[in-house]
Amino acid sequence: MTAGQGVVAARGGVTRITIDATAVGSWREGRLAFENTPMTEVADDLSRTLGITIAVAPDVADRRVRATIATAGLARDPTPLAALLDVTMRRSAQGWTMSAR
């Protein structure tokens, strides 16, 4: 692999992808960058980073996301994600769920 390339491992095998070099390590600066990423993976990354549970309803699970998300303050109130990701955020006893509008 060369600079600007990455690998995604999934059940079906390994896929080479192109990565925006400026986004690498952005989590250290309070940002998460996604490029054609399934919503389920976005929710997993947000949950891990914010320390809260964010689940994805089946109606948006396969939706692809291209965004850079500033994570400051989202652990207290993740509702701003709704406008950015074009979803509805619903709170439950288990955490938050993203679903279609």
Side-chain angles (χ1 to χ4, degrees):
M1 292 192 341
T2 61
Q5 293 182 332
V7 174
V8 175
R11 291 183 198 145
V14 178
T15 304
R16 187 182 309 206
I17 61 170
T18 301
I19 297 174
D20 177 6
T22 61
V24 174
S26 61
W27 59 271
R28 292 183 193 129
E29 299 166 359
R31 293 179 290 129
L32 295 176
F34 302 99
E35 183 68 40
N36 197 30
T37 306
M39 188 72 80
T40 53
E41 188 175 325
V42 172
D44 289 345
D45 286 353
L46 285 166
S47 294
R48 186 174 40 259
T49 300
L50 301 175
I52 60 176
T53 300
I54 299 178
V56 179
D59 57 0
V60 295
D62 293 329
R63 188 181 293 178
R64 307 302 270 189
V65 175
R66 180 176 190 238
T68 299
I69 300 172
T71 58
L74 292 178
R76 288 185 307 280
D77 179 17
T79 58
L81 292 169
L84 176 66
L85 299 174
D86 192 30
V87 295
T88 298
M89 296 291 293
R90 290 197 173 86
R91 188 174 194 158
S92 69
Q94 293 77 31
W96 294 85
T97 300
M98 295 189 289
S99 59
R101 288 182 178 217

